[in-house]
Amino acid sequence: MNVNIKQIISLISYGNQYLIKNQVPNLTQTVISNNSEKLTISFLEKNWGLNKVIATTPINWFEYLKQKGCLKLQLLHSHKEAKKYTDVSLTGGGKGWYIKANFSKGFEIWNNKWIHDTDPGRSYIKSTKVEYLKLKGEKISQECISLQKATRELHKCLIKIKNLAHDWQLNRWENVFTKTIKILESNSNQVINNEFNTYLKNLVILENYPPESIQLLVTANRLFIFTGWYSWNELDWWVAQSKFLNDKYFLIYKSLSETLYKARNTAIVSSINHDKLKNNL
């Protein structure tokens, strides 16, 4: 899971702690901490065509939302991105994610933009600004399905794609999918908590989520395998060039890959939006 998605998820989890439990969360060890000079986060809204800064820290933004009467934050992902899973700009699956701020009457959609200050003549980044902007008139179609349904759909897809890797003798990928399936099928809280603490520690406030949500989240985290070097997408070239494979198999591969990408993102949305907090909606 890349830092963009992690940051959005953390804003939702820690923001709901503030909005619903009336507790100021400790952000020190999180990806939304503003303690680093190399990363700053700000929140803006359009005012007469110009972007106006309304908060310069996550806590300030939570306060701003609470004063406006925000009931709860939720995660959204645009399904239209599913067919673009091979796009280089989607490295790590970082595009198409939004924050939905719910109010008693209506909602707001927030999206972000990363701005890097690169040292001239060098390749390293000196500092990064992340700007969250309230969108106007944006409609994101996203059904938040139940944890059970999201789990079933992801499991079904994983079995099919693992079998495909087995049939094509892709041992490394078969091993990746087999390990992921074991996490999704595990009945051990220790296994799930170890996975969370190893890869996603402090991403969300753990006590606010049922075990099923965390299990689905850590499983989905294992499936950031699209785009980049040695990714699952590199099989596009291999499948296309393999003389012993016909168009039928190529279409199966493409279809399963798109389905897995969509199922993974749906699982993340379901896991984050099904928490144990009081439902104010």
Side-chain angles (χ1 to χ4, degrees):
M1 192 179 295
N2 72 12
V3 68
N4 179 55
I5 304 173
K6 285 183 175 181
Q7 194 178 89
I8 289 173
I9 288 174
S10 288
L11 281 171
I12 292 169
S13 180
Y14 288 88
N16 283 333
Q17 181 81 355
Y18 186 95
L19 294 170
I20 299 173
K21 285 192 170 183
N22 296 311
Q23 296 177 3
V24 179
N26 182 358
L27 307 182
T28 306
Q29 300 297 322
T30 71
V31 292
I32 56 174
S33 168
N34 261 6
N35 291 339
S36 172
E37 294 181 357
K38 293 189 175 182
L39 175 66
T40 59
I41 305 173
S42 58
F43 302 84
L44 308 89
E45 64 179 6
K46 284 194 177 295
N47 185 19
W48 297 96
L50 299 175
N51 291 337
K52 176 185 176 183
V53 176
I54 57 173
T56 55
T57 69
I59 298 296
N60 291 154
W61 185 56
F62 301 158
E63 292 172 348
Y64 164 82
L65 291 173
K66 194 171 185 67
Q67 288 174 3
K68 288 185 64 178
C70 182
L71 302 174
K72 193 173 188 179
L73 299 175
Q74 290 180 303
L75 179 64
L76 294 178
H77 184 263
S78 173
H79 278 335
K80 69 181 181 181
E81 301 292 340
K83 293 185 180 297
K84 303 178 184 178
Y85 69 93
T86 59
D87 192 338
V88 173
S89 66
L90 282 170
T91 300
K95 296 187 73 175
W97 296 92
Y98 304 86
I99 298 174
K100 181 181 181 183
N102 293 281
F103 299 85
S104 58
K105 294 182 179 179
F107 59 87
E108 296 174 352
I109 302 294
W110 292 76
N111 193 16
N112 67 12
K113 177 174 66 173
W114 289 66
I115 304 169
H116 301 294
D117 180 14
T118 307
D119 195 21
R122 300 187 181 184
S123 59
Y124 86 95
I125 297 173
K126 291 194 296 183
S127 63
T128 299
K129 292 192 300 182
V130 188
E131 294 181 345
Y132 282 81
L133 179 65
K134 183 174 71 173
L135 306 181
K136 287 194 174 182
E138 190 76 19
K139 293 183 179 179
I140 309 297
S141 177
Q142 170 73 69
E143 176 191 8
C144 181
I145 63 177
S146 68
L147 287 170
Q148 293 76 14
K149 185 175 180 181
T151 300
R152 286 197 305 269
E153 290 184 355
L154 186 59
H155 186 268
K156 180 180 178 181
C157 186
L158 279 168
I159 293 296
K160 287 183 177 180
I161 211 160
K162 185 205 76 166
N163 290 340
L164 179 74
H166 175 79
D167 293 342
W168 289 0
Q169 299 180 355
L170 303 171
N171 297 332
R172 181 172 74 90
W173 285 110
E174 182 182 2
N175 186 48
V176 167
F177 296 130
T178 298
K179 288 182 177 179
T180 305
I181 291 169
K182 285 182 178 179
I183 292 173
L184 189 58
E185 293 178 344
S186 176
N187 293 318
S188 169
N189 287 335
Q190 183 177 352
V191 169
I192 304 306
N193 288 336
N194 285 345
E195 187 78 8
F196 178 84
N197 289 326
T198 300
Y199 300 106
L200 301 176
K201 188 174 182 179
N202 297 324
L203 180 68
V204 299
I205 299 177
L206 202 56
E207 66 184 41
N208 290 342
Y209 295 86
E212 298 81 7
S213 286
I214 300 303
Q215 184 167 14
L216 195 55
L217 183 64
V218 297
T219 301
N221 181 58
R222 286 259 179 170
L223 295 172
F224 278 75
I225 57 175
F226 297 95
T227 72
W229 293 105
Y230 305 109
S231 70
W232 176 251
N233 291 346
E234 284 199 331
L235 292 180
D236 266 358
W237 181 89
W238 180 80
V239 173
Q241 297 298 319
S242 295
K243 296 180 180 179
F244 64 89
L245 291 174
N246 58 31
D247 290 341
K248 174 185 174 183
Y249 289 103
F250 183 69
L251 290 175
I252 291 173
Y253 158 74
K254 295 286 283 186
S255 176
L256 277 178
S257 298
E258 183 180 323
T259 301
L260 180 63
Y261 183 82
K262 183 177 178 180
R264 181 202 70 183
N265 294 339
T266 298
I268 294 173
V269 170
S270 182
S271 68
I272 296 304
N273 290 345
H274 286 95
D275 54 32
K276 296 192 295 185
L277 296 174
K278 180 178 62 176
N279 191 352
N280 292 329
L281 306 182

